Amino acid sequence: MNVRRICVLRCKSLLNSKYLRSSQIVGVRKLTSPSGSSPKVCIVGGGPAGFYTAQHLLKSHLDIRVDLFERLPVPFGLNVINTFTQTALHERCNFFGNVSVGKDVSVAELRQAYHAVVLSYGAEGNRHLGIPGEDLRGVYSAKDFVGWYNGLPGNKELRPDLSSETAVVLGQGNVALDVARILLSPLDILKKTDITQPSLEALAGSRVQRVLIVGRRGPLQVACTIKELREMVNLPGTMADMVTADFEGVASVLKDLSRPRKRLTELLLKAAQGGTSGQVGAPRQWGFRFLRSPLEILPADDLTSAAGIRLAVNVLEGSHEGARAVPTGEVEELKCGMVISSIGYRSLCIDPVVPFDQHKAVIPNTVGRVRPGAGLYCSGWVKRGPTGVIATTMNDSFDTARSLLQDLEAGVIDASSVKPGSRAVLSSLESRGVKWVSFSDWEKIDKEEVRRGQRIGKPREKILDVAEMLRVAHS
């Protein structure tokens, strides 16, 4: 399988269950341009939002040309979908990796070179806990931790401390479960994945035996989806460790829940009651801890590393998914040497000319249209915030693409004007010494990673150094 930047265990939640393939766009009128006119669109970001936007534009407009610029030398981010490869290979689509927009080339330059620019670069920043002890050794963001075991170049030096018996993950979404699963997975399972060799070696020496997944609300508000929860409860060599009191009254409201929430809650109840396929007495445990909010990471005697976490005990006001967590004034402490914050990501402003809401960490927009001025759009997390599953990103990106196509048809975007497109941008990049990576260059990296993996019995061994990627790509 042509996979980049995936650990298979994480891929199951990021790829198989939620990623809907869209091989057909139904009910969209195919647009064309006047003779000799081909609208040129630049998309900033080579992840799912960028590729879904490109896919819709290419399928819906017979003349449009799309260039994708990505900060990393590789496409797809943490995800690979066959249809993304098909899009990248489309005759009217080009991929340019290792190009950092806002640094190597400005948004203003892109707007001069293209009829429209779509910002789809996702959320590269971390949300901070804002509590004492957050900077202690042993405290990590889930974004960095996931990047470490998935082989993102920026996280290769993380070297997490895995010497403690108990780890606490703050947040109860799919990423939190992915992290817990990596920490507790038997080594023989991890060896069959394309997790990086340094991460595999570190996890082989891990002493983590127990992972507690902490959330501020209750079982009816847990943010993960059923597939990820099912993989957690069925993980060999582990057993669920829940607090029975957290589930009081939950069974009585099952009939009032939506079908997805009902199925998820039923599986939670089953796990709490010890009725899953997990092994009673298994050496490793995991469990949710509900109605808890972090107050402070507690230091060890050396005052430099984490030794525990102090949590506020909450009660819920309201019901079901709209319930709000309210502190009771009671606190409790958990001993742990590792804390991983999975409370969400933040988009960043990559160029001061782009309007940006620093509080919400999004680009203000109307159905993807960025104001003021025509020709600037956004899609994905930078448009709506880091929420939803892949189907949300797909539909969101299609909405942005439709807005752009409507503006083309209405003449809001003047496609009759001559724009140089990638020719001008690549010329500027070359003069600045930027070595961009084409999709065919990426295929060389892909082939080399697969070759290295086969030598050691893995599906892939990822190249972790950007300079080495570039050497392979341009060989």
Side-chain angles (χ1 to χ4, degrees), residues 120 144 184 292 305 324 351 356 389 423:
S120 304
D144 293 343
L184 296 178
R292 301 292 186 271
S305 58
R324 185 170 64 93
D351 194 306
F356 196 80
V389 295
R423 176 169 50 84

Side-chain angles (χ1 to χ4, degrees), residues 349-372:
C349 182
I350 61 171
D351 194 306
V353 304
V354 178
F356 196 80
D357 185 323
Q358 292 289 350
H359 177 68
K360 296 180 180 179
V362 297
I363 296 174
N365 68 93
T366 304
V367 198
R369 296 178 178 93
V370 181
R371 305 296 185 192

Side-chain angles (χ1 to χ4, degrees), residues 198 216 432:
R216 60 189 173 84
R432 295 163 188 169

Side-chain angles (χ1 to χ4, degrees), residues 136 138-139 164-172 210-215 241-243 246 286-300 305-313 330-340:
L136 291 171
V139 182
S164 63
E165 180 178 332
T166 299
V168 168
V169 181
L170 301 174
Q172 295 179 333
R210 183 171 180 246
V211 179
L212 300 178
I213 308 166
V214 175
D241 170 22
M242 306 283 196
V243 177
D246 287 345
W286 65 275
F288 287 105
R289 292 296 182 268
F290 297 107
L291 299 171
R292 301 292 186 271
S293 298
L295 292 175
E296 181 181 1
I297 311 295
L298 303 174
S305 58
I309 185 169
R310 180 173 293 123
L311 302 167
V313 179
E330 182 183 351
V331 299
E332 69 176 29
E333 295 180 1
L334 295 175
K335 290 184 178 181
C336 62
M338 185 180 203
V339 178
I340 300 177

Side-chain angles (χ1 to χ4, degrees), residues 19 49 283 317 323 346 359 365 367 418 420 438 451 453:
Y19 287 3
E317 289 186 354
R346 283 179 59 88
H359 177 68
N365 68 93
V367 198
V418 177
S438 69
R451 186 189 68 81

Side-chain angles (χ1 to χ4, degrees), residues 8 11-21 227 231:
V8 168
C11 172
K12 290 177 180 177
S13 65
L14 286 178
L15 179 58
N16 298 337
S17 66
K18 305 189 293 288
Y19 287 3
L20 304 180
R21 299 184 181 182
K227 187 176 188 300
E231 289 176 350

Side-chain angles (χ1 to χ4, degrees), residues 51-247:
F51 269 95
Y52 277 132
T53 305
Q55 180 192 91
H56 192 93
L57 291 173
L58 293 165
K59 285 179 178 288
S60 305
H61 197 295
L62 299 180
D63 301 319
I64 205 163
R65 307 193 70 86
V66 178
D67 293 336
L68 292 108
F69 288 88
E70 164 59 38
R71 180 178 57 86
L72 293 173
V74 296
F76 312 138
L78 288 169
N79 321 285
V80 172
I81 304 177
N82 288 341
T83 190
F84 287 0
T85 299
Q86 295 166 11
T87 300
L89 293 173
H90 195 285
E91 62 181 358
R92 290 183 280 116
C93 183
N94 289 297
F95 170 81
F96 302 104
N98 198 45
V99 178
S100 181
V101 173
K103 177 183 176 184
D104 299 328
V105 60
S106 70
V107 171
E109 288 175 302
L110 294 178
R111 297 194 69 181
Q112 289 175 354
Y114 292 88
H115 294 100
V117 174
V118 184
L119 302 172
S120 304
Y121 57 83
E124 293 295 327
N126 291 313
R127 286 185 59 192
H128 296 292
L129 292 167
I131 60 175
E134 189 171 5
D135 297 326
L136 291 171
R137 182 167 55 85
V139 182
Y140 311 94
S141 74
K143 174 183 171 294
D144 293 343
F145 190 74
V146 168
W148 169 71
Y149 63 73
N150 275 306
L152 291 183
N155 301 119
K156 65 179 180 179
E157 303 295 339
L158 186 66
R159 294 183 176 84
D161 184 353
L162 302 168
S163 63
S164 63
E165 180 178 332
T166 299
V168 168
V169 181
L170 301 174
Q172 295 179 333
N174 288 335
V175 174
L177 265 69
D178 289 334
V179 167
R181 191 160 54 243
I182 290 294
L183 286 171
L184 296 178
S185 286
L187 204 61
D188 59 346
I189 290 180
L190 292 178
K191 286 179 178 178
K192 297 174 183 177
T193 75
D194 63 354
I195 189 171
T196 67
Q197 194 64 21
S199 300
L200 186 62
E201 293 170 0
L203 289 164
S206 172
R207 296 181 182 177
V208 176
Q209 297 291 310
R210 183 171 180 246
V211 179
L212 300 178
I213 308 166
V214 175
R216 60 189 173 84
R217 298 195 293 169
L220 295 176
Q221 294 82 34
V222 68
C224 63
T225 51
I226 191 168
K227 187 176 188 300
E228 287 69 31
L229 178 60
R230 185 180 293 116
E231 289 176 350
M232 192 74 237
V233 300
N234 291 334
L235 188 64
T238 68
M239 62 177 291
D241 170 22
M242 306 283 196
V243 177
T244 305
D246 287 345
F247 294 88

